[in-house]
Amino acid sequence: MLIDSHCHLDRLDLTAHGGSLDEALAAARARGVGHFLCIGVSADNAAAVRSLAQRYADVDCSVGIHPLDLQPGSAPALDWLLAELDHPGVVAIGETGLDYHYEPEAAEAQREAFRLHLHAAQITGKPVIVHTREARADTLALLREAALPQGGVLHCFTEDWEMAKAALDIGFYISLSGIVTFRNADALREVARQVPADRLLVETDSPYLAPIPHRGKPNLPEYVRDVAEYLAVLRGVSYDELAQQTGENFKRLFPLARVA
């Protein structure tokens, strides 16, 4: 069974499926996708992702605040985050992390919010879903400082093998998206070949970053099959083997997920 370990079901462009999320999920299931992790990015969408996890038996969710969704001048309240994490169906924290590409001036506020999410992970034992862009040193430093025994995942990984190895060394998983299929992603493909089989996840990050041959279109959960098939060829294994292994990895990282 293939799992889309990171998708934004509340933000999908559903034009290709007549505006129906039911149809979009059915299309993914028809391609062998058996489970979906719907990601929280803000206080505003926490209720939406929780509702989707309640509505669909094969959808779980996370809650957290993306570094680019922080309210200026204030970190999220720990009490709010812990209350959200206590809801059934919420199996992880995030996405959280650091993004200095678009808002380098907000670096300190981002670090404060990231520390808060990591503290919530220490309290709850739930894994963290980490977004990082142009913030390698600070991301790794804060993850090492938190020393989470349950670890987490660097999602939509786009960094080099040095950073991947550093994350693996502190117990994190690496999740690859459709970016690995892009023509200019040779360095990422080298990472994809080297990640240990038991620490690899696959995702769409839909509606963003559709893989080839769908690049330029809105991304959909069904396209995680294209990412997995590409990775299987790249790594020299069968599609079935890669789907089974990444599914087992997902269940190990997210033990509260309702995966059969």
Side-chain angles (χ1 to χ4, degrees):
M1 178 177 64
L2 188 60
I3 296 174
D4 187 351
S5 69
H6 192 110
C7 52
H8 300 274
L9 299 180
D10 59 318
R11 297 187 170 193
L12 297 183
D13 182 333
L14 298 169
T15 304
H17 294 291
S20 170
L21 179 57
D22 286 351
E23 291 299 321
L25 293 177
R29 295 179 192 117
R31 297 195 71 196
V33 186
H35 204 81
F36 311 85
L37 184 55
C38 182
I39 306 300
V41 295
S42 70
D44 291 337
N45 91 318
V49 298
R50 287 194 285 103
S51 176
L52 290 170
Q54 292 169 352
R55 178 176 170 186
Y56 299 102
D58 54 0
V59 174
D60 286 304
C61 73
S62 67
V63 292
I65 299 184
H66 190 288
L68 299 180
D69 282 274
L70 294 171
Q71 294 299 315
S74 64
L78 181 61
D79 288 348
W80 171 84
L81 184 56
L82 291 175
E84 290 292 332
L85 291 169
D86 197 41
H87 285 280
V90 179
V91 303
I93 299 169
E95 60 185 286
T96 181
L98 304 172
D99 191 320
Y100 297 167
H101 178 76
Y102 290 108
E103 296 182 1
E105 73 283 357
E108 182 52 45
Q110 289 187 17
R111 287 191 291 269
E112 181 184 357
F114 192 20
R115 286 191 183 95
L116 183 142
H117 284 77
L118 294 173
H119 184 44
Q122 292 168 331
I123 293 170
T124 64
K126 292 185 176 182
V128 292
I129 299 164
V130 178
H131 169 104
T132 179
R133 188 173 185 187
E134 297 182 18
R136 175 188 308 190
D138 285 353
T139 298
L140 290 172
L142 290 176
L143 291 178
R144 290 185 180 115
E145 177 185 292
L148 302 176
Q150 74 273 30
V153 58
L154 298 191
H155 103 91
C156 194
F157 191 81
T158 57
E159 300 282 348
D160 60 15
W161 173 244
E162 182 182 0
M163 183 170 186
K165 178 67 163 55
L168 292 164
D169 286 346
I170 55 174
F172 273 67
Y173 290 65
I174 301 295
S175 182
L176 296 172
S177 70
I179 293 175
V180 75
T181 71
F182 294 0
R183 283 187 292 273
N184 62 350
D186 289 340
L188 184 58
R189 281 187 279 275
E190 188 56 38
V191 172
R193 292 185 184 98
Q194 295 188 69
V195 175
D198 64 350
R199 305 288 282 285
L200 178 66
L201 298 177
V202 290
E203 65 173 88
T204 57
D205 202 12
S206 51
Y208 318 107
L209 305 170
I212 291 172
H214 311 286
R215 192 173 183 188
K217 302 176 183 177
N219 202 0
L220 291 163
E222 65 200 76
Y223 298 158
V224 74
R225 174 78 183 232
D226 298 274
V227 179
E229 289 178 345
Y230 186 92
L231 282 171
V233 173
L234 189 66
R235 292 171 63 87
V237 299
S238 71
Y239 164 77
D240 287 344
E241 181 179 342
L242 188 131
Q244 179 180 350
Q245 180 69 68
T246 54
E248 291 173 356
N249 298 344
F250 180 90
K251 289 187 281 188
R252 189 184 320 113
L253 179 59
F254 302 107
L256 296 178
R258 299 166 297 173
V259 185

